[in-house]
Amino acid sequence: MNKKEIGFTMEEFQGRIQKVRKSMEERGLSLLLVNTPENIFYLTGHKSPGYYMYMCLVIPLEGEMTLVLRRGEVGNAQVYSWLEGEGLVAYDDTDDPLQKTVDVIMEKGFQGGRAGVEFTSWFLTTKNFLDLQTKLKGAEIVDASGTVEQTRMVKSAKEIEYIETACRIVDKAMAKGIEKIQPGNKEKEVAAAFFSEMCLQGSEYYGTEPYVASGPRAGAMHSSWGERVMQNGESVLLEMAATVNRYHGALMRTAHLGKPSETMKEWAKVCIEALNAAINAIKPGVTSEYVDEACRGVIERAGLYENYRKRTGYSIGIAFAPDWGEGYIMSLQKGDQRLLQPGMVFHMPPALRKLNAYGVGFSETVVVTETGCRVLGNTKRELLIL
């Protein structure tokens, strides 16, 4: 038998499953089908880059769960998940995975009723959904999106430990990347330094690549590295994440080559003030909207909202590509009246951009505490002038 490498105790996994089943009961579900890799990881520990192939965790209201997955991925499941034996059902590449899933459901004695499906999952294709409707006889298929996610919003002590370790890796990798920001160097050299240091410090593969954008490329959100040569008089916008046991911590900073313009200095000042305002606003019991207003208000009063126009932050934790965040679970944004609770973790990246000109931004990953919040990184919060 393969040696298990599970990142949590069975007690913690069982607690998560009990919460999900309680939610299932409240929704009147006799069955839940989970296709989202982050949710499957959360409940079983299974992780693999091969999640692009069909995978489904079958959760009856009572009885044992079963993970239906590609045969080639069974080895990973045997190592990283607590499931074993009949809890893992494999399909060959020439099999119909939907039929295999339905067979598993019927073997569990499913007699019809409400079957919950994650309508918002990126990994449940339209074809597979339609096949499921055809093959799962007697079932009322309903939207169960968020059933697992709502239990993921508040992190356990162990989850926070993983995120904090990822943030420490990001601090070190950011410092290594900044060393490569010199006139005449290419953006890809900064990215290479990021990748190398993150791997050496213990990061796994992560949900999104680092962003390295110099000069006019910094004016566009999510600009990644390329062959561009960095030049004196330009800003370089940097954003990156690291991951430990699939838990991410992220960081954004801005460096400037040479003397910055008054605009650049003012924009950096506003971004940092907005970030500080958000950090100071966070505490249990306040709404998501309240934190967003604290951050956005600084930017609006500076007359720069048109260069901003986005949410203040988003939940961060478990992630597989194509994202490193959990914004689909909770975002700090206008109109969101949900209350913050101790143990929630957010990445907050206020940034100002002028398309095809320049950009500046700063961020922190923070955990909500009993009295406020705690910043998980240690990189100095300032415009770095090189």
Side-chain angles (χ1 to χ4, degrees):
M1 178 175 290
N2 293 326
K3 182 180 178 182
K4 293 285 188 181
E5 297 181 23
I6 305 174
F8 297 95
T9 64
M10 275 308 303
E11 181 181 10
E12 183 156 345
F13 279 120
Q14 291 299 336
R16 297 170 179 181
I17 294 165
Q18 287 174 9
K19 289 177 182 177
V20 168
R21 281 185 161 148
K22 181 180 179 182
S23 181
M24 288 173 61
E25 192 171 17
E26 292 170 350
R27 294 173 182 233
L29 302 177
S30 56
L31 179 72
L32 178 64
L33 302 180
V34 178
N35 294 98
T36 303
E38 289 86 354
N39 289 341
I40 292 172
F41 169 83
Y42 182 73
L43 295 174
T44 71
H46 174 60
K47 57 182 179 180
S48 165
Y51 58 86
Y52 54 84
M53 295 292 282
Y54 177 86
M55 180 169 57
C56 182
L57 182 63
V58 179
I59 309 177
L61 189 58
E62 297 180 354
E64 298 301 318
M65 304 191 309
T66 300
L67 181 59
V68 180
L69 73 172
R70 187 186 189 193
R71 188 168 302 280
E73 295 297 335
V74 171
N76 282 321
Q78 289 175 335
V79 172
Y80 297 114
S81 83
W82 58 266
L83 293 168
E84 53 189 20
E86 295 181 357
L88 299 172
V89 171
Y91 65 87
D92 290 325
D93 288 355
T94 53
D95 290 338
D96 178 354
L98 264 296
Q99 186 59 56
K100 184 74 73 170
T101 303
V102 171
D103 290 344
V104 167
I105 293 169
M106 294 307 176
E107 287 169 6
K108 292 182 180 297
F110 181 72
Q111 299 296 319
R114 287 167 61 87
V117 173
E118 297 178 318
F119 282 18
T120 57
S121 177
W122 297 342
F123 298 90
L124 177 63
T125 66
T126 304
K127 180 182 183 303
N128 284 342
F129 176 73
L130 293 175
D131 283 350
L132 181 67
Q133 282 186 312
T134 300
K135 293 174 178 176
L136 192 56
K137 307 296 185 182
E140 178 192 359
I141 296 177
V142 300
D143 185 8
S145 303
T147 304
V148 180
E149 285 88 343
Q150 68 181 5
T151 69
R152 289 170 48 197
M153 289 172 60
V154 175
K155 273 60 176 176
S156 69
K158 189 63 176 179
E159 290 177 294
I160 293 169
E161 179 185 321
Y162 285 133
I163 297 171
E164 189 164 12
T165 301
C167 287
R168 289 199 292 269
I169 293 173
V170 168
D171 282 332
K172 294 175 181 178
M174 180 68 76
K176 286 292 185 181
I178 288 171
E179 289 177 5
K180 293 295 183 179
I181 299 178
Q182 300 173 25
N185 280 1
K186 293 183 177 181
E187 292 172 338
K188 67 181 182 181
E189 295 178 71
V190 180
F194 281 164
F195 277 107
S196 176
E197 190 66 15
M198 281 190 285
C199 291
L200 292 173
Q201 292 295 333
S203 176
E204 301 173 4
Y205 58 96
Y206 29 88
T208 306
E209 67 278 3
Y211 299 115
V212 181
S214 64
R217 296 184 66 256
M221 183 182 290
H222 296 156
S223 292
S224 198
W225 72 91
E227 293 289 336
R228 190 177 186 280
V229 176
M230 296 173 288
Q231 302 173 34
N232 197 46
E234 294 181 339
S235 63
V236 184
L237 189 57
L238 309 166
E239 187 178 14
M240 58 182 294
T243 178
V244 177
N245 193 34
R246 304 316 315 153
Y247 285 85
H248 288 63
L251 181 68
M252 176 189 283
R253 287 293 185 267
T254 305
H256 197 276
L257 289 166
K259 184 178 179 180
S261 66
E262 290 303 312
T263 297
M264 182 57 58
K265 288 191 288 186
E266 175 62 19
W267 280 26
K269 178 175 176 289
V270 170
C271 279
I272 293 171
E273 287 182 0
L275 178 56
N276 289 340
I279 291 170
N280 292 333
I282 290 179
K283 61 182 177 181
V286 304
T287 64
S288 167
E289 182 176 58
Y290 176 81
V291 179
D292 176 72
E293 171 57 32
C295 178
R296 183 168 37 82
V298 172
I299 293 168
E300 288 176 335
R301 289 188 292 273
L304 293 170
Y305 183 66
E306 289 303 314
N307 301 98
Y308 181 66
R309 298 189 69 86
K310 67 183 190 72
R311 62 188 176 183
T312 288
Y314 48 84
S315 177
I316 192 168
I318 306 169
F320 293 85
D323 191 10
W324 67 42
E326 296 177 337
Y328 54 90
I329 297 180
M330 186 173 184
S331 289
L332 303 172
Q333 62 187 6
K334 187 187 296 186
D336 193 329
Q337 295 299 313
R338 285 178 291 181
L339 303 179
L340 271 59
Q341 302 174 52
M344 289 182 171
V345 182
F346 297 99
H347 179 229
M348 302 186 297
L352 296 168
R353 296 178 173 91
K354 184 176 180 180
L355 191 60
N356 298 319
Y358 41 78
V360 58
F362 301 85
S363 81
E364 298 290 359
T365 296
V366 304
V367 57
V368 183
T369 65
E370 295 293 338
T371 58
C373 76
R374 180 166 61 92
V375 176
L376 299 180
N378 295 307
T379 299
K380 197 166 183 180
R381 210 174 299 151
E382 64 178 5
L383 177 64
L384 184 62
I385 301 174
L386 302 174

